[in-house]
Amino acid sequence: MTESEGGRLRVFLVDDHAMFRAGVRSELGAHVEVVGEASTVAEAVSKIATIEPDVVLLDVHMPDGGGRAVLDAMRRSHPQVRFLALSVSDAAEDVIGLIRAGARGYVTKTISPDELAAAIRRVADGDAVFSPRLAGFVLDAFASRPDVPVADPELDQLTNREREVLRLLARGYAYKEIAKELFISIKTVETHVSNVLRKLQMSNRYELSRWAADRRLV
């Protein structure tokens, strides 16, 4: 590890929501040294290569390939940098995809600040860290269990944002709640739902919920 002189871990934030980054920076300030942040894949790759932090907190769903694109660009050139996925998504295919790409752990954004600080420390020390429900996905995938959905042609039609909206919708969130969770407007939520219904050739949210449950996306 390349901790700062004060002994605190050097952490870099990658997330396309400025408000979320500000919140994480504020909450982690007492535990680690936040040495930089980025909102896009290109910005993240450039800054991480220059700063070389101990741990990168990496969002999964962003434009231009998201967390997977950052990992693909960095893991060979900077193998000493550890990556911990921090996402609103707890879907099996997201967890498995990031771990296969080289992330050392995956936790959801419901994690408490103290728990997140502990997870960062463990990842920096070389451990693998997962939110409890997510660990099973990884075990299933690497045991080659056929019931874990990794690729799905229908799901592949949807953008990352549409998938996020779909999962929250299937969990019973109202449009207003989805908008608040994802930092977007209610009108944008309605547009995403309309696009998902059209792409999957369904007529209402109840059909979408059953479809999502069948694929363990909820």
Side-chain angles (χ1 to χ4, degrees):
M1 295 184 296
T2 57
E3 295 183 5
S4 63
E5 292 182 4
R8 296 199 299 171
L9 288 168
R10 301 170 66 252
V11 175
F12 190 94
L13 310 178
V14 181
D15 194 289
D16 59 342
H17 292 123
M19 288 179 60
F20 180 76
R21 294 198 310 274
V24 172
R25 180 186 285 273
S26 174
E27 295 288 357
L28 288 180
H31 304 280
V32 303
E33 180 184 357
V34 178
V35 294
E37 59 185 64
S39 60
T40 67
V41 171
E43 182 184 17
V45 170
S46 175
K47 288 186 175 180
I48 292 169
T50 300
I51 296 172
E52 296 188 343
D54 299 311
V55 177
V56 175
L57 285 182
L58 185 63
D59 191 19
V60 177
H61 293 152
M62 298 185 301
D64 303 322
R68 179 65 180 267
V70 176
L71 279 164
D72 288 343
M74 300 301 304
R75 62 180 176 179
R76 289 191 177 89
S77 61
H78 292 76
Q80 77 281 8
V81 178
R82 313 277 189 176
F83 290 85
L84 173 61
L86 176 63
S87 176
V88 69
S89 170
D90 60 0
E93 73 274 11
D94 286 336
V95 179
I96 295 164
L98 266 289
I99 297 306
R100 283 181 169 161
R104 293 293 303 174
Y106 193 119
V107 295
T108 60
K109 290 182 177 179
T110 57
I111 193 170
S112 72
D114 287 343
E115 290 172 333
L116 180 57
I120 291 169
R121 171 68 63 177
R122 289 177 58 193
V123 166
D125 287 341
D127 292 340
V129 179
F130 302 95
S131 295
R133 168 174 142 81
L134 309 185
F137 294 155
V138 179
L139 291 173
D140 285 346
F142 286 92
S144 299
R145 286 270 297 275
D147 58 338
V148 179
V150 177
D152 186 318
E154 288 185 295
L155 188 62
D156 288 344
Q157 300 179 73
L158 307 182
T159 66
N160 289 331
R161 182 63 84 195
E162 288 167 354
R163 294 186 193 191
E164 290 179 326
V165 170
L166 171 61
R167 289 180 190 115
L168 294 175
L169 189 72
R171 291 173 189 163
Y173 282 56
Y175 285 7
K176 182 178 180 180
E177 294 170 323
I178 295 173
K180 182 178 179 181
E181 182 76 17
L182 299 180
F183 302 99
I184 57 179
S185 70
I186 295 176
K187 181 65 175 177
T188 300
V189 173
E190 292 173 348
T191 299
H192 285 314
V193 172
S194 177
N195 289 339
V196 171
L197 286 169
R198 174 178 53 79
K199 289 179 179 180
L200 298 180
Q201 298 182 351
M202 296 180 187
S203 58
N204 57 61
R205 66 179 296 168
Y206 304 104
E207 291 182 0
L208 286 177
S209 295
R210 287 196 299 271
W211 185 89
D214 288 343
R215 285 157 176 79
R216 296 176 60 182
L217 300 180
V218 182

